[in-house]
Amino acid sequence: MNITEVRVKLTEGKKNRLQAFCSITIDDDFVVRDLKVIEGHKGTFVAMPSRKLTDRCPNCGGKNHLMAQYCNDCGTKLNEKRASRGAGRLKLHADTAHPINSNCRELIQEKVLTAFREEVDKSKQPGYKPPKYEDIEDVDYDDLIDDLESEKNDT
Ligand SMILES: [Zn+2]
């Protein structure tokens, strides 16, 4: 597998633990979006794209994020402890695309972090204009970072 392009969009807040959003192109043919560069407690790492896990309201069957206290559809108060616990913590997200071996994980991590560091260097130059990538968007990430950090500490 060759990663033929990496796009990096740095986040703006200097203290953000979420440092950048990225997309990668595989073999000039296939794009994966929503990778993230995160400043973890044990160093910088690349997070794979993920989605929030949901479950169904016992009253109306509507889907809700696991942290939701009330059903989005009918307003029923939901059981706050319903999220499944793995190793004593809540898991709120699941990867939607990810490497299945460590060689591939390291390849992606290296390519993305190299492109990330180049972009950081560029951003320090006078007159730096951040690239405008319409396919890279900011998403809500606070609880995602906590999730990823606890996952890393497990392994
Ligand atoms: Zn409901």
Side-chain angles (χ1 to χ4, degrees):
M1 181 185 89
N2 282 311
I3 294 172
T4 46
E5 189 182 4
V6 181
R7 291 179 161 194
V8 176
K9 185 180 181 183
L10 301 176
T11 55
E12 278 160 26
K14 285 277 177 279
K15 287 183 181 166
N16 262 349
R17 288 165 63 203
L18 178 73
Q19 308 260 299
F21 292 97
C22 310
S23 72
I24 57 173
T25 304
I26 298 166
D27 293 333
D28 284 319
D29 279 332
F30 194 86
V31 176
V32 180
R33 294 175 183 155
D34 277 336
L35 283 78
K36 297 161 198 77
V37 175
I38 293 171
E39 185 64 58
H41 294 304
K42 294 176 184 169
T44 307
F45 66 95
V46 175
M48 294 300 136
S50 61
R51 65 183 171 82
K52 286 184 173 180
L53 294 172
T54 59
D55 67 350
R56 291 192 180 274
C57 168
N59 183 46
C60 74
K63 274 191 180 176
N64 294 284
H65 178 226
L66 292 180
M67 289 300 277
Q69 290 183 296
Y70 297 93
C71 174
N72 285 326
D73 289 334
C74 72
T76 296
K77 187 159 179 20
L78 301 170
N79 176 4
E80 285 165 41
K81 292 184 178 143
R82 69 196 189 282
S84 63
R85 281 172 185 275
R89 67 182 172 77
L90 297 170
K91 184 162 167 51
L92 305 175
H93 299 84
D95 288 353
T96 51
H98 68 104
I100 56 171
N101 59 58
S102 57
N103 280 350
C104 182
R105 177 171 293 275
E106 279 160 25
L107 175 75
I108 293 173
Q109 174 122 330
E110 193 195 308
K111 290 272 189 178
V112 169
L113 291 182
T114 301
F116 165 69
R117 290 187 182 111
E118 284 170 8
E119 197 63 30
V120 169
D121 284 347
K122 275 192 220 162
S123 75
K124 291 174 182 161
Q125 308 290 324
Y128 170 75
K129 287 204 184 81
K132 286 198 167 54
Y133 294 137
E134 286 178 4
D135 62 337
I136 303 181
E137 323 172 38
D138 293 14
V139 291
D140 144 38
Y141 55 80
D142 277 345
D143 54 352
L144 173 67
I145 291 178
D146 292 340
D147 219 15
L148 291 164
E149 282 271 78
S150 52
E151 214 158 277
K152 276 192 84 75
N153 291 337
D154 286 350
T155 48

